[in-house]
Amino acid sequence: MTDERMDERLREYAARWAAARPAPASVPLGRQPRRTGWVPVAAAASVVALVAGIAYAVAPRRSPAPPPPLASASVPPVPTAPACGQSQVRGEVAFRPTATYVDGTLDLWTAGPTCTIPHVPTLSVVGDGLRDLGVTYRFAGDDVPVVLTAAHRRLSLTWSPPFCAQTQVVVLMVTIRTDDAFRLPLDKAALPECDAVDRGPETNVLHAQWEHRHCTTADWQVVSSDAATGEHGVTVTAVLRNVSADFCDPYAKPFLGIRTADGRDLDLGHVSTMDLRSGPGVPPGGQVRAEVLWTAYCGPHPGGYDASMTVHGARLALALRAHPVPPCRDQDEDTDGSVATGWLTPLP
Amino acid sequence: MTAVVERASFEEWVRPHLGAMARLAERLAPGDGDDVVQDALTRAWRRWETFDAGRGTPRTWLLAIVADRARRTRLRRRVTVPLVDDVAEPAREGDVALEGALRRLPRRQRLAVALHYFTGLSVAECAVVMGCAEGTVKSTLHDARRRLREELGDD
């Protein structure tokens, strides 16, 4: 069979395969989610269903047996900070107008011990008589529990196009919980004068993003490391603690180096570029879990491996025993058939 | 009001690509396609702000999320999938063998085939989703076809 004939055969089979499956768009919207079925877009995109969808997505459905540990150091439990009290959270806001939008920052910190707010604060802008100015708020990143400490945690804000200064009082409402909000008055001078351009409230967008910096080796302390083998490869895990006084960017990719017992460095096919996370940074004292899944498609690699993981410049060494892999074939796409995929997860 | 506006916008934004998302999910995670799409939609909604039009189209961005979620789903569940239960009906002669051979392809080859043949992406679009050069996609597809030919013989 020629390559062209195989190409043709694949196209024919794909067409028949697709024709045998109903298009998802034909699924009636509003249908109740089922255990193993389709949750419609309308529901998935609604706030209520979003919460349900996330819970659904993370709910355990099948419980594979845990892989046997290899070189393991136990991961200590991470203490969870209590919920922030009503009077505990402090905030400070500053705006700086530009020609076309308003730049700003919102600092949040606690006057007491470290505590947690259940989600990214909701921001709204109100004018005279606490009238909602209709500013659409969008946060760039995860809406996950946020740990607040005595250190200022800064959100950078962009308000575009800016609502002009037609009201006497403008207040930024910061809602920490449904029953807990505080008001930060804005300097009216920060708002541009009204002009002839229609700047209706419906077009206003307040955009927020956590600020953090790229931390380096000295900022991280290795708390623990672990390696476990499973059916699909070896997962190397390390827990790191931010020992700096700043919020660290948690999105740098962890890297993994594998050297076989006979001294060869494996050519890991690639580190995934699929990690689309963009959420809050790691607070001072906070921890992050770095994981690299090393999928060895073929072997053998008798005698085990020496592995080193590099996360934010922090390097740690691990000893891994061999695990069974199928024999290599000529067509295997990567040298040794190995692929490493890494991602980072902030710990609560 | 804000949530309603954004929900409607998201729906409109995603809807044209639902079919491709579902097909790719079913190819990469047979039997778990619905869950993968659900997972991908939830993730896309949460990360909508991170979409960068300069780096790809909504279609490639959404399919990249599907591919990522499918991979994680397969790793998490460790399910052994029957090889002959999911071919198009009525099964033509050779379809069962072809489906089995497709599922035995290495992960990157399987992804390339799913994107190009079953989802209808161009080589350039496949390259965006897979995070590699177009030439790499072409060679991966070529290797996949060669492996399939070897598995299936000259039938």
Side-chain angles (χ1 to χ4, degrees):
Chain A
M1 187 189 304
T2 63
D3 189 56
E4 290 73 21
R5 174 65 191 121
M6 191 70 242
D7 176 80
E8 187 182 334
R9 185 173 173 185
L10 279 168
R11 292 184 192 282
E12 291 171 356
Y13 177 62
R16 288 198 304 278
W17 183 88
R21 281 155 183 79
S26 67
V27 175
L29 297 180
R31 199 170 95 189
Q32 290 298 311
R34 56 191 168 86
R35 188 64 177 162
T36 58
W38 179 266
V39 177
V41 178
S46 73
V47 174
V48 173
L50 178 65
V51 174
I54 293 169
Y56 172 84
V58 302
R61 284 162 235 184
R62 301 182 179 99
S63 302
L70 291 175
S72 176
S74 63
V75 179
V78 179
T80 302
C84 295
Q86 180 141 4
S87 60
Q88 192 176 347
V89 179
R90 297 287 185 268
E92 192 173 278
V93 67
F95 275 103
R96 184 180 65 256
T98 70
T100 55
Y101 59 91
V102 173
D103 261 345
T105 57
L106 169 63
D107 284 9
L108 294 173
W109 70 96
T110 73
T114 298
C115 61
T116 303
I117 54 178
H119 53 73
V120 173
T122 299
L123 309 178
S124 58
V125 180
V126 295
D128 292 332
L130 298 184
R131 182 169 57 88
D132 190 338
L133 296 188
V135 176
T136 301
Y137 164 70
R138 299 181 75 175
F139 176 76
D142 285 337
D143 187 13
V144 298
V146 178
V147 177
L148 292 183
T149 68
H152 287 213
R153 178 159 207 173
R154 174 161 290 184
L155 279 157
S156 63
L157 308 175
T158 306
W159 186 358
S160 174
F163 202 78
C164 59
Q166 61 181 273
T167 55
Q168 296 300 310
V169 180
V170 178
V171 174
L172 180 67
M173 296 282 289
V174 181
T175 304
I176 302 298
R177 299 184 307 203
T178 53
D179 59 345
D180 190 359
F182 61 89
R183 303 166 187 171
L184 299 172
L186 305 183
D187 180 3
K188 192 183 172 195
L191 300 177
E193 292 298 321
C194 296
D195 57 24
V197 178
D198 178 19
R199 287 171 168 165
E202 70 277 4
T203 64
N204 274 247
V205 174
L206 182 63
H207 187 278
Q209 189 160 26
W210 292 110
E211 285 190 2
H212 37 64
R213 73 175 174 86
H214 181 73
C215 294
T216 57
T217 306
D219 301 315
W220 295 101
Q221 177 188 58
V222 178
V223 176
S224 64
S225 61
D226 181 89
T229 187
E231 183 183 341
H232 296 277
V234 177
T235 301
V236 182
T237 306
V239 174
L240 307 176
R241 178 182 288 121
N242 173 13
V243 293
S244 77
D246 298 317
F247 288 89
C248 290
D249 174 5
Y251 309 114
K253 295 179 189 304
F255 289 93
L256 187 71
I258 303 287
R259 173 169 290 185
T260 62
D262 57 6
R264 290 185 305 121
D265 287 320
L266 295 189
D267 177 11
L268 299 180
H270 61 273
V271 172
S272 170
T273 58
M274 298 301 303
D275 195 338
L276 303 171
R277 249 187 305 271
S278 67
V282 182
Q287 298 187 115
V288 65
R289 178 188 293 115
E291 291 175 278
V292 174
L293 172 66
W294 169 37
T295 306
Y297 283 121
C298 63
H301 303 301
Y305 317 86
D306 291 324
S308 62
M309 176 189 271
T310 305
V311 185
H312 292 290
R315 191 176 177 86
L316 56 125
L318 300 165
L320 307 177
R321 289 202 304 268
H323 65 286
V325 292
C328 289
R329 297 166 47 151
D330 291 341
Q331 303 95 324
D332 280 313
E333 54 191 310
D334 301 308
T335 304
D336 296 304
S338 290
V339 173
T341 304
W343 60 95
L344 233 57
T345 308
L347 295 175
Chain B
M1 185 181 71
T2 297
V4 172
V5 171
E6 292 210 354
R7 181 186 67 194
S9 301
F10 183 76
E11 283 182 44
E12 290 304 311
W13 195 72
V14 164
R15 189 178 298 278
H17 314 295
L18 274 177
M21 293 174 72
R23 285 196 296 276
L24 181 63
E26 191 59 31
R27 289 307 309 176
L28 299 179
D32 287 329
D34 288 346
D35 286 352
V36 168
V37 173
Q38 155 70 18
D39 193 13
L41 285 173
T42 304
R43 206 159 187 83
W45 165 253
R46 295 177 66 191
R47 312 216 184 294
W48 197 18
E49 282 287 348
T50 69
F51 170 71
D52 181 356
R55 298 176 61 185
T57 63
R59 188 180 185 84
T60 56
W61 188 74
L62 289 166
L63 292 176
I65 296 175
V66 169
D68 180 55
R69 304 321 296 173
R71 179 185 60 78
R72 296 188 186 210
T73 297
R74 286 175 64 83
L75 295 175
R76 187 167 63 242
R77 295 183 181 174
R78 293 168 183 157
V79 175
T80 301
V81 180
L83 295 179
V84 296
D85 67 343
D86 198 32
V87 296
E89 293 293 345
R92 296 193 180 187
E93 185 180 356
D95 278 358
V96 172
L98 177 57
E99 181 65 34
L102 285 167
R103 296 188 184 188
R104 287 190 293 275
L105 289 174
R107 187 177 64 85
R108 296 281 286 179
Q109 292 180 13
R110 196 166 63 245
L111 174 60
V113 168
L115 289 170
H116 186 62
Y117 289 102
F118 291 85
T119 314
L121 264 60
S122 67
V123 169
E125 290 174 315
C126 291
V128 173
V129 174
M130 295 173 68
C132 63
E134 290 184 33
T136 306
V137 174
K138 290 178 183 174
S139 64
T140 304
L141 286 170
H142 179 78
D143 291 346
R145 289 193 297 265
R146 183 177 62 181
R147 175 175 282 211
L148 291 171
R149 292 202 318 268
E150 290 174 355
E151 287 230 11
L152 297 172
D154 287 332
D155 57 351

